[in-house]
Amino acid sequence: MRCNYCEWRCDLSAGQAGVCRMYREEQGAVKERFPMQWSACSVSRMESMPFYHAHPDSRTLTIGTYGCNFSCRYCSNAHVARRDPLEFKAEMNGMAPEELIRMALKHGCQNIVFNVNEPAMSLQSLLKLKQNADQAGLPMGCLTNAYTTEESTEILAAIFSFLNIGLKGFSAEFHRNYIGIGSIDPILRNISRLAKIRHIEVTTPVIEGVNDSELGAISEFIAGIDPDIPWHVFRLLPEHEMKSVAYPSIERINQLLQTARKKLSYVYFHNFVGSDWVNTVCPDCGTRVIERFSLGCGGDRMDKFLCKEGNQCPSCGRRIKIHGRPYQTDVKEAT
Amino acid sequence: MSIVIVDAREWQNMLDLKTGEKIQVENYSTEILRGVLQRHHYPGDVDQLSNRWVSETALDLIGQYHPQLVCLMYSRQYFISRFNPLSETERIRLLEEVFSEVEFMLAQSGYTPVIVGTGNLTEHIAELDLNGLDGLAISGNWSARYAGLHKPTPKDLAYLSTLPEIERIAARQELIDLFPGAECILERIPEYLLVAKEGFTFRTSGTPGRKIYRVPGISYQIPVATPLGNVETITGLRKLVRDNLKDHKIALIILEGIGEQDFRTPYSASKNSMGWYYYEPGENQLLTMSTGTQQVFAFPNGYNYLEENDNKEFPFSGYFKKIPAGTIAEDSGFRSIAVGNHSMHTHMVFGADICVECFARNLYNQGCMGVIHRTAEIQQENH
Ligand code: SF4
C-alpha cells in the first residue's frame, strides 16, 4: 500500500514507515503513527513566521509535529525534523483539537500556524484540528515545502487559508544534492495551484555559492504566476551538515536581488538582526506602507501599518496585497 | 542614550538600544566596539570555542579600554549540559574546560577574580504537563522548578494538589511575604507559584521542543571564590566588588550552571535563597548580585510575559522594559566592560560602559552585539 501524501509515494506495506516515518499502514489504510502529538505549541507574532502580508500583527498559536520528507543538508530544525519521531515518544505533547483551541483562546491568539516541520506529515491530525478551528473562528496557516501530491495539495488548501511555501532553489541539481529529492516539478506545480486558490508567500533560504545563482530564476518563476506574491529571501545560517559553511554576505546577496525587485512587488531580505529590507513599500509610488523590525531568526514584528482603509497606499491609493484583517487587536476571550 | 552595534558577520548595524531605530554615532567608543565585534565572530552557544570567545573578546576590550571592572559570563557548559546527554566523564571534562578557561583569562589579564557559580544542575526526570488546566500556566524558557498560575479554577487547584511531583503551591502573598521590602509590581506576580520537586519541570505553552537532559537543581547557596573576602549572601557581592575597585582591577566571573557540587576551586558558600525559595540561573539572580538587593520580582517566575512582549521598547533586551538602575558597574566611578555568551543578560544586568554578548536565539547563532551605555563619558584621554 502506498502513501500518497507527498511525492515520495512511499510503500508502507510490510510495516514500513516511509521516508518521513510518520505514517503506517493499518487495515488497508494509511494512518498517522503519532496522531495529535505535537512537538511545539507556543505563542508568537505573525511576522515572525514569517508572514508579512497575512493577518498583520496578529498573535498566533504556533504548532508543529515531527518528521520531514526532505533531507536538507543545512536543516535548522534537525533536532525535530531529521530524527526518527519514535525517539521523541516520551516528550510528545498529546493534545486533542479542543485542547489546542482552548490554548489558543487562553492566549488571545487570532489564528494558528503550523511552522516547525512539514504539515504533510500530519495531515489527518490537522484536518481534525481544522474543524475545531473553524468553529472557534481561528484561521489556519502553515509553512510548507509543497512537495505534496496533487491530491494532498488540495487537502493543504482545505486546511490552510494562508501558506508560506519554501522554494529552496530552482535546479534539479540543487534539489538532488542539498534537499535529497529527485525533481522540483511538483513543487512548482503546487505553488502555481496554491497561488490561485489561497494566499501564498514564498521563502527562499540563500546559501552563498550554493543557490544564490538561482535567485534570478526563482524570482522570474514567481513573477510569472503573480508579481504580487511576497518573496522572502532568507540569509541562511546553515546548521546540521553545513554548519561550517560561511555566512552569506548581506551586501552581495542584496545586490543580486536588485533585478528581482523590478519584477516582483514585494521582495524582502531578512533573517538577520536589524535588516533594512523588511518594510513594505508601495510598488507604484515607493511610499512606505508597513514598517517592521527584525531581530533575525523568528523575531520579526510589525511596527506601523500605514495603509488607508481597504489596504490602500496612503499616497497613491494602490491596493496593497493583504490577506485577513490588519491590526487584529480584538482579542478573543476564552470560553 | 545607549548605543547598540549588531554584527551579523561582514555587516554591522548601529541602533538605539531603547527604540531600535537606526542611528549613526562615530566616536572613540564606537570605534573600539566596531573593531572588537569585527575581530571576534561568535562561534555559537555550544561550539567548542564559545567560552574562549568570551575571554578573547574581553582581552581585546581590556587592551583598548583599560577597564577597572570586567564582568564575564561563561555559559557554554550550561547550554551543553541542558541539551545533550553527557556521560559523567564528558561532564567532568566540560567542567574542567570551564575552570581552565577562567585560569587562562586570569593569567592573561592579571585581574583579581570574584568567581561565582550560579547553581547546581541536576538530571531532568520528567515534565509535568500543565497545558490541560483551565487557568493559564506559564513557565519561562529556562526555568526548571517554577511555573506561574494565572486565573486557575478550583478544579485546577484541586488537581494540582494531588500531584506528588509538586512540592509547593504558593499563593502570591506567600511569596511577597518571603521578601519584605522587595520592589514588586503586583499584577506581574502570578496568583500562584508552582514549585516542582527537584529534577521535574513544567510543560506549558512556550516550553521549548528540545529534549532537556539537565536542569537547575536545588541551590540554596552558591559558591563564590575570591581573595577579597567572603560574602554571606549574594546581595553582598556588589559591595565587595565596589569597595575593592579603587585598589584592584577586578574580574567578576559568572559560571552558569555550576554549583557547589562541581566547583573546582576553594570557595565560600553564599546564600542564594529566602526561606523555601532559591534563585535559579537567570536575570533575577544576576540582578540580585549586581544591585545588591533582592530582585525576585524583577521578572517574577511564571509571569505572563506573553501579555507584555508586544512591540515594547528595548527590542534587544528580552523582557526588560528599561535599563535596571543601581547595577554593579553603574556610577562606580571606574571604567567597566562586560562580555558574555548568554545573550541580553550581559548588557542589562551589569550596567558596564561597554558590553559584548552573543546574539543567539534558541541556540541559532545570529552573530553578536555590543552595547555602549555611557558613550558621552567615555573619552580617549581619560585612560
Ligand atoms: S508523507 Fe511520508 S510516508 Fe507519505 S509519501 Fe511522503 S514521505 Fe512517504
Side-chain angles (χ1 to χ4, degrees), chain A residues 69-194:
Chain A
N69 51 351
F70 279 8
S71 322
C72 303
R73 287 174 58 190
Y74 49 78
C75 181
S76 57
N77 259 338
H79 63 284
V80 170
R82 301 301 321 135
R83 286 161 60 185
D84 187 336
L86 203 56
E87 289 178 38
F88 297 97
K89 192 100 176 71
E91 296 108 63
M92 285 183 178
N93 213 349
M95 288 177 90
E98 47 283 5
E99 282 182 273
L100 274 173
I101 298 299
R102 198 153 55 118
M103 176 72 83
L105 296 177
K106 267 200 287 194
H107 282 296
C109 294
Q110 291 129 351
N111 43 60
I112 298 174
V113 173
F114 186 98
N115 76 336
V116 175
N117 56 321
E118 171 53 41
M121 268 62 281
S122 303
L123 280 180
Q124 296 165 357
S125 291
L126 288 165
L127 270 169
K128 286 192 190 121
L129 179 62
K130 164 74 174 163
Q131 288 174 6
N132 293 63
D134 278 350
Q135 281 163 16
L138 296 172
M140 286 176 64
C142 74
L143 272 53
T144 174
N145 60 34
Y147 194 58
T148 37
T149 57
E150 282 178 272
E151 310 91 279
S152 61
T153 302
E154 298 306 315
I155 302 177
L156 278 183
I159 299 170
F160 301 110
S161 50
F162 52 105
L163 303 93
N164 188 324
I165 303 173
L167 180 54
K168 299 164 199 293
F170 208 70
S171 68
E173 193 193 355
F174 171 80
H175 281 81
R176 230 183 354 261
N177 293 340
Y178 290 90
I179 312 292
I181 58 168
S183 167
I184 188 182
D185 296 347
I187 302 172
L188 303 182
R189 174 197 70 209
N190 294 337
I191 291 176
S192 303
R193 168 67 185 154
L194 288 166

Side-chain angles (χ1 to χ4, degrees), chain A residues 223-238:
Chain A
I225 300 172
D226 175 1
D228 273 4
I229 293 175
W231 186 33
H232 302 261
V233 177
F234 259 38
R235 183 200 196 207
L236 190 79
L237 312 181

Side-chain angles (χ1 to χ4, degrees), chain A residues 3-10 12 17-23 30 68-69 120-121:
Chain A
C3 168
N4 286 319
Y5 284 133
C6 87
E7 286 289 347
W8 283 108
R9 298 186 192 267
C10 301
L12 300 184
V19 170
C20 67
R21 294 171 284 195
M22 287 294 282
Y23 291 102
V30 174
C68 189
N69 51 351
M121 268 62 281

Side-chain angles (χ1 to χ4, degrees), chain A residues 213-227:
Chain A
S213 59
E214 301 182 11
L215 291 172
I218 294 172
S219 60
E220 195 85 47
F221 167 74
I222 299 170
I225 300 172
D226 175 1

Side-chain angles (χ1 to χ4, degrees), chain A residues 76 91 106-107 237 276, chain B residues 22 133 203 205 310 364-365:
Chain A
S76 57
E91 296 108 63
K106 267 200 287 194
H107 282 296
L237 312 181
D276 290 329
Chain B
K22 299 229 176 202
L133 297 179
R203 177 183 288 174
S205 68
D310 300 347
Y364 300 130
N365 187 3

